[in-house]
Amino acid sequence: MMATIHIKNVGPIKDTGKITLNQLMLVIGKQSSGKSTFMKVLCHCRWVEKALMVDDESIATDYGKDKKFLESLMTFHRFNPDFFSSGSYIKYDGEYITIEQDGDESDAMITRKREFEDKRYNTKLCFIPSERNLISAVKNLDRTYKASELDILFNYLLEWDEVKDFYGTKNPLCLSVARNIQYLNDGGADFIYLSQKEKKLPVFYASSGVQSAMPIEVMVDRYSSFVGEKAGLSKHNWKQISNETNKSNYQSVQFFIEEPEQNLYPMSQKDLIINIIKHLVAANKKGCCNSSVVLTTHSPYTLSVLNELMAEANLYVKHTNKYIEGVDDFVNYECFMSPQYYSAYYINDYGTFGNLIDSELPMISGLELDGVSDWVEDRISKVNGFIYG
């Protein structure tokens, strides 16, 4: 059974309906429609689930009293208290646990399912915010950014420090969004290496597109590699699960990425999305549990790329065990993921969610995202009517 989430009356979100959580989920909508709100609530539920799966019962007890679930959600993800009211409702129905928050004054109900003890596993979570280019655009950010409590940006900086040292001068990472450019860390400082010019530059001087995409590529590459590897756990947790591979090793990775298209040329957007999907597919082959990616976007190119990948997968599914001449010339098998594992939603002006997947084709509808084309066509028609009579 796949996990689901249902959110009502949280910030701009009125009612998501019961949303099934797929391996690849796309959320689109206008500014301030609730895209980030949805993703942050989901990420918090996933984090509490992870904490419970690798810890003892105290996690469920702690987050189920003194309004800790809701208050930690507001603090970590920087929600204004006005986002919540007596009518707020969150129900996360995971594979092995359930979290239910009803109103803003009650405690969350956190329960373990029957299969919990036998099948709980360890996963790696990574939230990549829209403010990600701060690590490049602001010098000495780790010293200038201060937070009185651990919040999403401070945690992002900690996660960046966790991964960047892996890409030293002998192990740079080639970036998919820009040819002949590599990321490397030298003595704790971030650089890009221009291989054509054999020149190394601080990322502070990189283009805005590279500054925005580089953290995504680095974190997706490194966090995906954690699947199947031993998890970083406290001695207390190691003592409890040292003989349980599902919990001592990471079995999946879950990415939450805000607007991956920021500052990128359309072809670079395509390359970045394909790279993310490639790592998702690779991670799913290494772990015993489903890895996932949640994306928010305003970009029609993101939809187009996902539709093309879905079409490739649909071709493969419909012709299983049949060789089709010429297919190998264009099908990207590294990105192969059955269309059933894609989902996409549009948040309308009323704060409710609409499914964008046409299951018969299958493909993601882009009508809601591309309303500008209709506006342009209508205006040009009127202007030409006056020009040409």
Side-chain angles (χ1 to χ4, degrees):
M1 184 186 73
M2 299 187 73
T4 64
I5 192 166
H6 189 181
I7 304 171
K8 293 194 294 185
N9 300 316
V10 176
I13 295 176
K14 298 306 177 188
D15 194 343
T16 64
K18 189 176 180 180
I19 301 293
T20 299
L21 304 176
N22 247 328
Q23 292 181 24
L24 189 285
M25 177 179 288
L26 189 70
V27 183
I28 66 176
K30 299 176 183 178
Q31 275 78 19
S32 302
S33 61
K35 300 185 299 298
S36 291
T37 299
F38 171 80
M39 192 158 68
K40 289 174 179 178
V41 171
L42 172 58
C43 182
H44 187 65
C45 291
R46 293 283 210 186
W47 183 88
V48 173
E49 177 183 50
K50 167 195 165 68
L52 182 56
M53 288 198 293
V54 299
D55 209 324
D56 55 29
E57 295 186 3
S58 63
I59 289 292
T61 303
D62 290 346
Y63 280 84
K65 65 180 183 181
D66 300 327
K67 298 195 293 185
K68 184 172 181 179
F69 174 82
L70 193 59
E71 290 184 357
S72 61
L73 169 61
M74 289 190 288
T75 299
F76 185 81
H77 287 288
R78 305 167 77 179
F79 281 128
N80 188 303
D82 291 341
F83 267 48
F84 300 89
S85 67
S86 60
S88 296
Y89 180 77
I90 299 168
K91 183 173 183 180
Y92 172 75
D93 190 6
E95 294 172 279
Y96 308 120
I97 76 163
T98 300
I99 303 171
E100 189 169 13
Q101 175 72 48
D102 194 356
D104 61 342
E105 294 295 333
S106 62
D107 293 326
M109 292 182 61
I110 303 175
T111 56
R112 291 166 292 280
K113 297 185 177 180
R114 183 179 303 173
E115 309 91 340
F116 176 81
E117 285 300 335
D118 294 331
K119 296 188 176 182
R120 58 178 173 153
Y121 62 93
N122 203 345
T123 186
K124 191 75 172 170
L125 273 67
C126 181
F127 195 107
I128 306 178
S130 58
E131 302 92 338
R132 56 188 170 269
N133 64 344
L134 285 175
I135 61 174
S136 304
V138 180
K139 289 185 177 180
N140 302 317
L141 181 64
D142 55 341
R143 288 187 295 229
T144 57
Y145 180 77
K146 304 294 182 184
S148 57
E149 297 181 89
L150 181 64
D151 66 6
I152 188 170
L153 281 184
F154 190 69
N155 187 71
Y156 166 64
L157 297 179
L158 293 176
E159 291 181 344
W160 176 250
D161 285 338
E162 179 185 23
V163 302
K164 67 179 185 178
D165 291 342
F166 180 78
Y167 302 96
T169 54
K170 295 183 179 180
N171 186 41
L173 178 68
C174 294
L175 301 183
S176 68
V177 298
R179 291 183 179 180
N180 305 310
I181 294 183
Q182 299 170 319
Y183 165 79
L184 61 91
N185 183 273
D186 190 357
D190 299 315
F191 292 90
I192 57 169
Y193 180 72
L194 311 176
S195 55
Q196 280 188 326
K197 298 181 179 180
E198 297 185 348
K199 189 175 183 180
K200 185 175 73 172
L201 288 175
V203 294
F204 180 80
Y205 299 106
S207 69
S208 59
V210 169
Q211 287 182 349
S212 181
M214 178 265 293
I216 297 178
E217 300 221 45
V218 172
M219 298 182 85
V220 165
D221 182 79
R222 186 62 180 138
Y223 271 58
S224 297
S225 72
F226 287 149
V227 179
E229 301 296 324
K230 285 193 177 294
L233 298 169
S234 67
K235 290 182 178 180
H236 170 70
N237 288 339
W238 270 116
K239 186 176 180 180
Q240 295 183 79
I241 66 172
S242 58
N243 295 322
E244 302 176 70
T245 303
N246 278 9
K247 295 176 281 294
S248 60
N249 290 8
Y250 291 118
Q251 298 302 326
S252 67
V253 62
Q254 301 175 50
F255 292 106
F256 303 85
I257 306 174
E258 291 188 311
E259 299 172 22
E261 71 274 7
Q262 280 184 354
N263 306 320
L264 289 177
Y265 186 70
M267 286 299 289
S268 295
Q269 294 183 37
K270 180 264 294 181
D271 292 335
L272 179 59
I273 295 300
I274 287 177
N275 193 35
I276 292 171
I277 303 301
K278 179 181 75 175
H279 281 84
L280 172 62
V281 171
N284 274 320
K285 291 178 179 178
K286 293 192 296 179
C288 70
C289 304
N290 288 332
S291 293
S292 62
V293 174
V294 183
L295 301 172
T296 64
T297 188
H298 297 128
S299 172
Y301 303 112
T302 296
L303 267 68
S304 298
V305 172
L306 294 179
N307 277 332
E308 198 280 330
L309 294 177
M310 290 173 67
E312 287 184 18
N314 195 42
L315 172 67
Y316 183 86
V317 168
K318 287 189 174 183
H319 296 84
T320 302
N321 300 322
K322 294 180 181 178
Y323 177 74
I324 306 173
E325 187 174 355
V327 166
D328 290 342
D329 294 337
F330 67 87
V331 170
N332 189 337
Y333 291 106
E334 287 185 309
C335 293
F336 173 75
M337 191 168 64
S338 177
Q340 71 187 50
Y341 297 127
Y342 288 81
S343 60
Y345 296 92
Y346 173 72
I347 309 177
N348 62 32
D349 293 337
Y350 303 100
T352 59
F353 278 46
N355 185 10
L356 293 177
I357 296 283
D358 185 326
S359 58
E360 292 184 3
L361 293 175
M363 66 176 295
I364 305 170
S365 169
L367 295 178
E368 286 80 3
L369 193 60
D370 195 28
V372 173
S373 295
D374 293 335
W375 178 86
V376 170
E377 183 177 347
D378 177 65
R379 302 290 281 230
I380 288 180
S381 176
K382 290 178 179 178
V383 169
N384 286 341
F386 279 97
I387 294 175
Y388 301 109

